[in-house]
Amino acid sequence: MTDETGPWLVVGLGNPGREYAGNRHNVGFMVADLLADRLGVKFGRYKRAMADVAEARLGFGGPKLVLLKPLTYMNLSGGPVASLAQFFKVPATQVVAVHDELDIEYGQVRVKFGGGEGGHNGLRSMSKSLATKDYVRVRFGIGRPPGRQDPADYVLSDFCAAERKELDFLVDRAADVVESVIIRGVEPTQNLYHGT
């Protein structure tokens, strides 16, 4: 299913701009930024694909990673993803989307391969542009909005004070999950992280 020597494309989903930086919908950007910090690389603008991109290797002699933050806004994320997957010759099975997930409680990070998009516009755009749903998703639980709050408003609001106390730890955990998927695979990562 995967090419152990080939590159991986890790897509942090979010919206560009300072006004969105702390939003729940931007947790994919937060994880991508942390991975870049861990790997000692900086993002640079990749104009042809409307994206910020960083390249690194995971560990000494490990697989190549291309970290991507689309700058097209969430519902058009697929264009830059497909363009860069083609440019770097990354098969869809080695694309990892990191995104917020309403259907998972806050504090949980889950991984799956393929499946539906659950109403997530970034995933929907990726599936359409890649012409497949067969890519990895690292799902950062944000839970359902309280009361009758519109989910669209909820994902575009910042994490609350109580959530922010755990946020750095959870972003760190999500970055660990991404690395584990690449090193170990999806199923071993599920076995390792889904019980906690």
Side-chain angles (χ1 to χ4, degrees):
M1 190 170 83
T2 59
D3 172 6
E4 290 179 15
T5 59
W8 287 76
L9 182 61
V10 178
V11 182
L13 289 174
N15 288 310
R18 197 170 294 168
E19 67 271 33
Y20 298 106
N23 289 181
R24 292 177 176 91
H25 223 21
N26 266 45
V27 75
F29 275 18
M30 297 174 198
V31 174
D33 286 338
L34 178 59
L35 284 165
D37 285 347
R38 284 184 179 185
L39 297 167
V41 293
K42 298 226 179 288
F43 281 96
R45 187 64 44 89
Y46 191 89
K47 288 193 178 75
R48 283 193 303 172
M50 281 289 292
D52 280 345
V53 176
E55 296 176 59
R57 287 210 172 269
L58 187 57
F60 182 72
K64 180 178 178 177
L65 293 193
V66 180
L67 302 173
L68 163 64
K69 295 191 293 182
L71 300 178
T72 50
Y73 293 96
M74 188 67 82
N75 57 357
L76 296 174
S77 300
V81 174
S83 175
L84 282 161
Q86 186 176 25
F87 180 79
F88 287 103
K89 297 180 171 53
V90 180
T93 53
Q94 289 183 205
V95 173
V96 180
V98 185
H99 64 92
D100 57 301
E101 178 60 69
L102 285 163
D103 292 326
I104 297 175
E105 285 178 35
Y106 185 75
Q108 296 185 353
V109 179
R110 297 287 180 260
V111 61
K112 73 172 186 173
F113 180 80
E117 294 95 3
H120 195 288
N121 289 333
L123 294 179
R124 190 179 290 138
S125 178
M126 280 184 59
S127 296
K128 184 178 178 185
S129 295
L130 291 170
T132 183
K133 296 181 181 186
D134 291 342
Y135 53 91
V136 180
R137 298 96 185 280
V138 172
R139 308 157 77 205
F140 190 106
I142 60 170
R144 284 273 161 194
R148 295 184 177 186
Q149 186 179 5
D150 179 9
D153 292 336
Y154 178 70
V155 300
L156 290 174
S157 61
D158 287 359
F159 289 99
C160 69
E163 290 169 332
R164 282 198 297 273
K165 289 178 183 172
E166 284 189 274
L167 185 59
D168 287 348
F169 167 77
L170 295 171
V171 168
D172 193 66
R173 185 178 181 83
D176 288 345
V177 168
V178 171
E179 291 183 357
S180 178
V181 164
I182 293 163
I183 294 165
R184 298 181 181 93
V186 170
E187 198 171 321
T189 300
Q190 291 170 332
N191 294 337
L192 193 60
Y193 287 95
H194 284 200
T196 57

